[in-house]
């Protein structure tokens, strides 16, 4: 089906294909910088799932026929006393998880989804730094799951209810009882009230399900949404705001010919779990190939990779420079010019795009060589385009000497006899084993993540924001035989777009990735895990305890 553009397509430079599928052998030949650059691409070492007979071929759909949806801003229903300061009243929101149908494309039948209210992504929660709020997360989902549960996975045994949810606010500095602990799930008809004090800098956070053993299915079904924290420092920068600030949640799915979600299975009916799931249908705010009408001026795009496992490499079809101004936990110290923005699952990028040279044109946002969405640039702009500030928020480096402890933590994949992964582990221990990471409140630690696998794993810590120190390749085979880390290359500093406050870091294969963080805010039980949800669900997640100083 030919693609019809609503407007003249001004793009002349078509970018070359630069997909890379790295095989294990090629990978092991790389080292140092080259390996780091390659590893930023995804290593689909397990291969894509075979297409099924009734799978929708997304390339057959007309592109840019649906406007980009912008999730509505959630409104509080009342005010209630703060659990920590009873004289203070906090806004109280009710966010209800429901099953509903929604069209992801003009030419597809409505898709059954799970979301909040009637939308997925759910309504965006918006607040200011230190303005606390209460959210009652209400489970009004049906009693049966519509995606394939693997009952052989820990926490999803047959005696567990099929539909269980618990919402986590990713990137929040929240007390442990409000953090959405994976075992604190509740069933349809129940709810949980969470207190988010928001004592943190302006940033784009997001909420999503975190239920043990079925998290990947609940998020795939649609249980996710955005949460924006603002503050005075950011206000003073006078960045594009209001209708010039666009939230973009991007994720991939697989649909059948009826427009229904299909979550792939292994073929073993007793163990349907798949080590990775990649869809060919890439949704932006829940639509396939949407378009957005913009004015010829600067826009701020708040991009979240909400995919289960896909890494995105976003660029504009005219190769125009994008300016990255922020990362997971807020503003960078200065804008970073980029042609391609790479995001692992759960990572965020705060971007400025200037459309002022594109009056009357359209430009396409792409992932590698594939079209994702179209911007249609109008002729006139009502707002003024100010210069982008050259200095943003200072990010003072945490000195390595501040760390009282360094933990060496391995990322491990356990394969069966035919090299199919059966589980993924952190430090060779399972979820249910005793806690081994117990940082002291207000102490600084370095976590050295040794990735012994062939995949890049986005590692996320709850509660904290951290800085990336460096990545360095090491001899994995020697590590397995001797238990010693033998470095093979030089230490590579974080990329400019990662050199800010992070809560998720790409741990590249065959590399030691070092992060440094101060465990601030609360004592209690939290988790850290790989944010490839298929891995997280199958043991690549561990609890940690922040303990009081003695
Ligand atoms: Cu985005 Cu533990 O999660
Ligand atoms: Cu989180
Ligand atoms: Cu992983």
């Amino acid at each position: 089906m030919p693609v019809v553009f609503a407007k003249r397509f001004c793009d002349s430079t078509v970018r070359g294909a630069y997909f890379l599928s790295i095989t294990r052998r090629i990978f092991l030949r790389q080292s140092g910088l080259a390996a780091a650059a390659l590893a930023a691409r995804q290593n689909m070492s397990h291969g894509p799932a075979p297409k099924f007979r009734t799978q929708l071929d997304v390339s057959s759909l007309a592109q840019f026929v649906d406007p980009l949806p912008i999730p509505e801003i959630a409104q509080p229903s009342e005010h209630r006393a703060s659990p920590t300061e009873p004289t203070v009243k906090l806004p109280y929101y009710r966010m209800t998880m429901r099953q509903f149908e929604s069209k992801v494309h003009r030419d597809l039948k409505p898709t059954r989804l799970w979301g909040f209210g009637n939308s997925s992504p759910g309504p965006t929660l918006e607040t200011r730094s230190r303005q606390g709020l209460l959210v009652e997360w209400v489970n009004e989902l049906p009693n049966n799951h519509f995606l394939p549960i693997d009952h052989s996975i820990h926490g999803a045994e047959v005696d567990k209810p099929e539909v269980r949810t618990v919402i986590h606010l990713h990137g929040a500095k929240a007390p442990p009882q409000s953090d959405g602990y994976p075992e604190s799930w509740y069933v349809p008809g129940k709810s949980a009230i969470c207190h988010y004090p928001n004592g943190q800098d302006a940033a784009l956070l997001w909420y999503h399900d975190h239920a043990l053993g079925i998290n990947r299915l609940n998020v795939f079904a649609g249980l996710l949404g955005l949460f924006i924290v603002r503050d005075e420092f950011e206000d003073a920068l006078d960045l594009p705001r209001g209708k010039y600030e666009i939230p973009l949640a991007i994720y991939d799915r697989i649909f059948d010919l009826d427009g229904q979600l299909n979550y792939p299975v292994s073929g073993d009916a007793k163990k349907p779990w798949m080590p990775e799931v990649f869809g060919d249908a890439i949704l932006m705010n829940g639509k396939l190939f949407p378009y957005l009408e913009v004015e010829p001026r600067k826009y701020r795009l708040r991009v979240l990779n909400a995919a289960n496992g896909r890494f995105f490499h976003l660029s504009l079809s005219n190769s125009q420079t994008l300016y990255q101004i922020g990362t997971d936990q807020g503003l960078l110290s200065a804008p970073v010019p980029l042609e391609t923005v790479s995001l692992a699952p759960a990572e965020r990028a705060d971007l400025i795009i200037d459309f002022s040279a594109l009056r009357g044109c359209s430009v396409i946002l792409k992932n590698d060589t594939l079209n994702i969405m179209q911007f249609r640039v109008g002729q006139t702009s009502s707002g003024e385009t100010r210069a982008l500030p050259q200095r943003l928020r200072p990010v003072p480096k945490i000195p390595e000497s501040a760390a009282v402890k360094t933990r060496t933590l391995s990322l491990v994949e356990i394969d069966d006899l035919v090299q199919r992964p059966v589980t993924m582990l952190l430090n060779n221990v399972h979820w249910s084993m005793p806690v081994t990471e117990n940082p002291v409140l207000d102490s600084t630690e370095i976590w050295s993540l040794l990735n012994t696998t062939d995949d890049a794993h986005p590692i996320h810590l709850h509660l904290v924001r951290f800085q990336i120190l460096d990545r360095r390749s090491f001899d994995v085979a020697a590590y397995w035989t001797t238990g010693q880390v033998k470095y093979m290359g030089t230490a590579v500093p974080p990329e400019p777009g990662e050199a800010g406050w992070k809560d998720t870091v790409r741990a590249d294969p065959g590399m030691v990735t070092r992060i440094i963080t101060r465990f601030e805010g609360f004592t209690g039980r939290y988790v850290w895990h790989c944010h490839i949800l298929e891995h997280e669900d199958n043991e690549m997640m561990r609890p940690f305890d922040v303990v009081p100083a003695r």
Side-chain angles (χ1 to χ4, degrees), residues 168-172 179 208 210 460-463 503 527 529 531:
H168 165 61
L169 179 54
H170 180 125
D179 194 53
H208 60 76
H210 220 305
H460 169 51
L461 276 65
H462 287 207
L463 179 67
D503 57 41
V527 303
H529 58 89
H531 222 290

Side-chain angles (χ1 to χ4, degrees), residues 211-415:
L212 194 68
I214 53 169
N215 176 20
R216 68 195 184 291
L217 307 175
N218 288 351
V219 174
F220 198 86
L223 295 180
L224 64 102
L226 302 170
F227 187 112
I228 300 176
V229 181
R230 305 191 182 278
D231 65 16
E232 294 80 56
F233 191 100
E234 185 188 87
D235 294 347
L237 294 173
D238 199 16
L239 298 166
R241 64 183 82 187
K243 61 177 176 170
Y244 306 118
E245 182 188 18
I246 311 292
L248 293 174
I250 182 170
Y251 42 93
D252 58 331
R253 296 289 185 264
I254 301 164
F255 293 97
D256 66 16
L257 292 172
D258 283 327
Q260 299 309 308
L261 285 175
N262 182 281
Y263 187 93
V265 287
S266 67
D268 177 346
K270 288 217 161 63
K271 297 179 178 186
W273 176 79
M274 292 287 286
E276 265 130 41
V277 166
F278 304 111
D280 63 338
I282 297 181
L283 297 163
M284 198 57 114
N285 291 350
K287 283 280 182 203
L288 276 167
F289 308 115
Y291 68 86
L292 179 69
E293 285 175 359
V294 295
E295 295 175 12
R297 54 158 286 149
K298 286 197 188 62
Y299 275 74
R300 181 180 185 190
L301 307 183
R302 319 280 314 254
V303 190
L304 158 71
N305 180 349
N308 279 35
R310 184 180 284 282
F311 291 48
F312 289 102
H313 314 111
L314 305 173
S315 62
L316 290 170
S317 53
N318 62 356
S319 303
Q320 185 179 326
T321 303
L322 307 157
Y323 290 87
Q324 187 179 348
I325 59 166
T327 180
D328 307 342
Q329 285 284 323
L331 294 164
L332 289 162
S333 58
V336 176
L338 290 170
E339 203 178 292
T340 303
V341 177
S342 292
L343 285 177
E347 285 187 311
R348 284 89 77 202
D350 198 344
L351 302 175
I352 299 287
I353 300 190
D354 192 349
F355 296 112
S356 57
L358 295 171
R359 266 167 219 280
C361 296
S362 58
V363 65
I364 294 170
L365 183 69
K366 301 177 95 106
N367 176 45
D368 292 311
T369 57
L370 298 174
N371 292 349
I372 308 298
M373 71 170 285
Q374 182 194 47
F375 294 101
R376 297 179 183 166
V377 189
Q379 293 290 350
T380 52
S381 171
S382 49
E384 198 182 30
T385 294
R386 285 176 189 266
L388 182 59
Q390 282 316 293
R391 299 246 159 277
L392 302 164
R393 191 195 290 267
V395 180
K397 270 207 164 154
I398 310 178
E400 281 187 44
S401 59
V404 296
K405 196 171 179 78
T406 295
R407 296 179 196 270
T408 301
L409 302 156
S410 58
L411 317 184
V412 181
E413 176 181 308
I414 311 284
D415 291 356

Side-chain angles (χ1 to χ4, degrees), residues 123-134:
T124 300
L125 287 149
E126 202 177 307
T127 190
R128 299 189 62 85
S129 179
R130 293 181 308 281
Q131 168 62 61
L133 54 86
L134 299 162

